Amino acid sequence: MGVSMKRVLMFGFAVLTACAWPGTAPAEYQATLKLACTQNMDHPYMVGAKKFADLIRERTQGRITVKLYPSNQLGKGEREMTEGIQQGAIDLLVTSTGPLGGFSPSINILDFPFLFRDFPHVDLVLDGAIGQRLLGDFEKANIKALAFWENGFRNLTNSRGPVRDVADGKGLKIRTMENKVHLAAWKAAGFNPTPMSWGEVFTALQQRVIDGQENPIAVFYSNKLWEAGQKYFSLTNHVYSPAPFLMSKKTFDAMPDVDRQLFVKTGLEVARFQRKINRDAEEAKLGEIAKSGVTVTRDVDRESFRKAMAPVYSAFSAQFSKAEIEAIMNAK
Ligand code: EAX
């Protein structure tokens, strides 16, 4: 076989391989990606995001840069930014599960009140088979879910007065996320809930359009909600709020395989880091919140909330079976 024929065949083989193997050769792939969220740079979401960006830059020798867009810069709320992920306008997003049921319905199973006992229970379930299945389900919505980062256990706050027992909060007009399970839980508990995207909450609180809201300690602290008149903080821990770390499937699929693996590995690694910094800082932040003139009610009668919200489980039993719920609740 002549030299030129060999060259032709080798060139042919190279072209074939490149076509067959989607994405650009690793060494050549370069990108500047946008990572967004609703929270400020001092919030654990963004502390985790900075760590992720630094690790990706280091591990790709600067080929991939992740630029950070905190504080709703790329959308007024998590629903809008998740749509941006689907369209490929945003590459990465740290978001609560708030509006995600509209994209991947199975994720709503994590939104039931008093489903998780504590943080070790959370890690067991989210880092286990159930968590992995829920992350995998996002592919159907053209979204790559890399890992579960953390928002935290949510607590009720308001401008009207201390809430220790569920009856103390009857009729309170509170903001919830755009989440059908949360809405139903607060309605069952006798509150007057209204869904709203995060970007509108501070003003609505300030103008007393709503009396209260519910969020983890880090969100309350990072957004200084006492400056919007939220003077009463009840440690209800009524629901655990995970924060899926989402990626545009378009961006993910366009990367060489070695970078895809790196994003999944680093996303999981930072999940552990991010949860730890969130949990370790809660007590100190609660102390700062109290120093800012907020009445913190620690001895909340959680059982009164659990009982009052319990009807929400049967309300969604057509979508989430008893067995599925118990598989999470009883995980040990
Ligand atoms: O994800 O909307 C909310 O209350 C969320 O907890 C917040 O945006 C952080």
Side-chain angles (χ1 to χ4, degrees):
M1 187 194 304
V3 176
S4 59
M5 179 49 84
K6 242 196 219 139
R7 273 219 195 96
V8 171
L9 285 176
M10 277 172 66
F11 175 72
F13 180 71
V15 170
L16 267 177
T17 317
C19 300
W21 208 258
T24 318
E28 283 138 33
Y29 181 83
Q30 309 214 349
T32 299
L33 306 181
K34 294 182 183 147
L35 189 161
C37 91
T38 56
Q39 300 300 307
N40 311 330
M41 278 312 289
D42 70 337
H43 184 275
Y45 282 4
M46 272 296 157
V47 177
K50 172 107 182 34
K51 177 88 174 173
F52 181 83
D54 293 346
L55 287 173
I56 291 295
R57 193 183 54 252
E58 192 189 302
R59 293 172 178 177
T60 64
Q61 295 78 44
R63 285 187 299 109
I64 303 177
T65 301
V66 176
K67 280 205 165 157
L68 307 182
Y69 296 85
S71 317
N72 289 63
Q73 286 177 23
L74 299 186
K76 78 174 170 77
E78 292 175 336
R79 183 167 42 73
E80 293 79 4
M81 291 195 267
T82 306
E83 284 159 4
I85 287 282
Q86 273 189 317
Q87 292 144 12
I90 298 175
D91 302 296
L92 294 152
L93 174 68
V94 192
T95 170
S96 74
T97 52
L100 297 185
F103 299 87
S104 184
S106 63
I107 199 74
N108 269 148
I109 197 167
L110 300 178
D111 295 315
F112 282 93
F114 302 99
L115 183 66
F116 290 101
R117 297 181 298 274
D118 50 31
F119 287 131
H121 182 197
V122 165
D123 297 343
L124 182 69
V125 171
L126 296 189
D127 299 337
I130 295 173
Q132 294 320 303
R133 175 176 58 76
L134 294 173
L135 291 175
D137 287 348
F138 278 90
E139 308 252 345
K140 296 172 208 145
N142 208 21
I143 295 172
K144 177 72 187 172
L146 297 173
F148 281 111
W149 293 10
E150 178 163 274
N151 196 2
F153 280 99
R154 302 178 79 92
N155 302 289
L156 175 71
T157 72
N158 83 93
S159 58
R160 200 173 71 177
V163 174
R164 196 183 149 279
D165 177 295
V166 71
D168 300 336
K170 232 170 195 35
L172 264 179
K173 191 165 186 202
I174 63 165
R175 174 265 182 181
T176 69
M177 296 192 289
E178 297 152 300
N179 185 291
K180 61 182 184 182
V181 179
H182 286 201
L183 267 173
W186 284 106
K187 274 201 186 106
F191 285 64
N192 178 0
T194 181
M196 194 184 282
S197 81
W198 178 253
E200 297 160 14
V201 175
F202 194 93
T203 310
L205 289 169
Q206 237 173 0
Q207 296 174 350
R208 299 290 189 270
V209 175
I210 46 178
D211 304 317
Q213 63 90 50
E214 44 83 56
N215 249 299
I217 292 169
V219 169
F220 187 89
Y221 177 80
S222 172
N223 294 277
K224 298 185 172 57
L225 292 186
W226 52 90
E227 291 179 358
Q230 294 293 284
K231 298 295 183 193
Y232 302 96
F233 190 110
S234 303
L235 266 174
T236 47
N237 273 15
H238 53 274
V239 67
Y240 175 75
S241 192
F245 182 40
L246 305 180
M247 184 163 188
S248 150
K249 190 124 182 357
K250 269 197 199 130
T251 309
F252 184 79
D253 291 348
M255 293 197 301
D257 192 44
V258 63
D259 292 333
R260 279 186 242 142
Q261 290 176 26
L262 178 67
F263 269 59
V264 172
K265 173 177 167 285
T266 309
L268 288 168
E269 188 183 322
V270 173
R272 284 187 287 281
F273 162 83
Q274 191 270 346
R275 293 179 203 174
K276 185 168 177 3
I277 49 145
N278 185 51
R279 295 167 189 182
D280 290 353
E282 286 203 328
E283 207 36 58
K285 285 177 182 173
L286 212 48
E288 293 298 313
I289 289 169
K291 275 196 208 128
S292 311
V294 176
T295 304
V296 177
T297 303
R298 288 174 179 271
D299 61 342
V300 169
D301 178 357
R302 289 180 183 163
E303 191 49 22
S304 71
F305 281 87
R306 194 191 63 70
K307 275 205 196 106
M309 291 177 168
V312 73
Y313 283 86
S314 50
F316 290 94
S317 55
Q319 189 182 353
F320 300 111
S321 69
K322 206 156 172 284
E324 279 179 294
I325 297 277
E326 285 175 353
I328 296 177
M329 225 176 224
N330 305 336
K332 288 207 172 56

